Amino acid sequence: MPLHANGPLSRLVERHLTPELPAARFVANVALVSIAGLVPALALYVLLTPGFAAHLRGSEGALGAFLRQVATNGLPVVIALNYVSFTLLARVRAETTGLGRIVALDFAARTGLFVALHAAIYAGSAVLFGSFGGDPARGLAVVAPTLVAAAGFGNLSGVYLYAGLVGALPLHMALAESAARRAGRGPPTRAASLLLAIAIFGAQALALTLTARLLAALQTA
C-alpha cells in the first residue's frame, strides 16, 4: 500500500516518477525533475557568489563555458542521483527491500556515485574539451579538493549535491514513515519526517566531505 496514497504529491510521483514506467519515459521524467531542482540551486549560487554574475555577463566565453560545465557535469550527476532516489523510493513503497539496505544504497549513491561521476566527467572533459590543460590526470587530481567544499555550497559541485534534494527528501521522508509503520507506531508528522529527511541528507553530505578529505589526503601522502 503506497504511503500517503491520497496525497497529490504522492500520486504525482507514483504516476510519473516510478521505474515501472518505460525506461525512456522514466529517465526523461527524472531529467525534467532534475532540471527543475538544478535551476534554482544554480540561480542561488550565482546570486550568493560575489562578482560571479558580472563575470558571466562581462567575460567573453564565460557564460558558454559555464553552461557547458552544467550540462556535461551537473545535469548528469543530478539525474543519476535522482534516478537512484526515485528507484529506491519505489522499493520503500512496495516494501520489497529492507530499510537498512535502502539507507546503505542511498548513502553509497550519494557518496560513491557522486565521487565516481565527478572523476569520470573531469577526466572526460580533459579529453573532449581540453579542460585541465587537456590532461585527464590533472582533472582527476582536483576531484577530491573540489568535493571537500561541496557540502558547504562552496562551488558548483555543491550546487549539484543540493539539487539532488529533489529526489532525496521524498525518499528519506518515506523511509521515516515506513520505519514507524513497521515498528507498529502511528505515522510521524510531516514536520518530523522532513526533519529526519534533512538529518539523513546532512549525514550523507558529511560522509561525502569526509570521503573527499580522505582522498585528498591520500593524494598528497
Side-chain angles (χ1 to χ4, degrees):
M1 182 72 177
L3 298 172
H4 300 298
N6 295 323
L9 182 59
S10 178
R11 292 197 300 270
L12 182 68
V13 170
E14 289 177 20
R15 183 175 179 180
H16 298 291
L17 292 165
T18 170
E20 294 179 1
L21 292 170
R25 183 179 172 191
F26 178 50
V27 171
N29 290 348
V30 170
L32 289 175
V33 169
S34 299
I35 292 170
L38 189 55
V39 169
L42 281 169
L44 182 62
Y45 177 78
V46 171
L47 290 173
L48 293 178
T49 304
F52 194 57
H55 170 69
L56 293 178
R57 289 194 305 266
S59 299
E60 184 178 355
L63 181 59
F66 172 72
L67 294 177
R68 187 187 70 194
Q69 206 273 359
V70 172
T72 59
N73 184 9
L75 189 57
V77 168
V78 178
I79 289 174
L81 292 179
N82 283 332
Y83 182 94
V84 171
S85 291
F86 287 117
T87 299
L88 294 178
L89 176 59
R91 293 190 181 187
V92 173
R93 291 170 180 256
E95 299 186 346
T96 58
T97 307
L99 298 185
R101 186 179 180 188
I102 294 288
V103 172
L105 289 171
D106 188 46
F107 260 80
R110 213 161 294 275
T111 52
L113 185 59
F114 199 80
V115 173
L117 284 174
H118 271 78
I121 291 169
Y122 280 22
S125 295
V127 174
L128 296 175
F129 306 116
S131 304
F132 311 107
D135 184 357
R138 286 181 61 186
L140 292 174
V142 303
V143 170
T146 298
L147 297 187
V148 166
F153 207 61
N155 51 39
L156 284 174
S157 292
V159 173
Y160 310 148
L161 177 66
Y162 288 100
L165 275 171
V166 172
L169 289 184
L171 169 63
H172 298 159
M173 292 177 72
L175 282 169
E177 293 157 5
S178 182
R181 189 176 65 255
R182 294 185 188 191
R185 299 194 299 268
T189 65
R190 286 299 179 90
S193 295
L194 180 60
L195 287 174
L196 181 58
I198 293 173
I200 294 174
F201 183 85
Q204 293 175 335
L206 177 61
L208 173 64
T209 301
L210 294 176
T211 300
R213 286 187 181 278
L214 176 60
L215 292 174
L218 291 173
Q219 286 178 341
T220 57

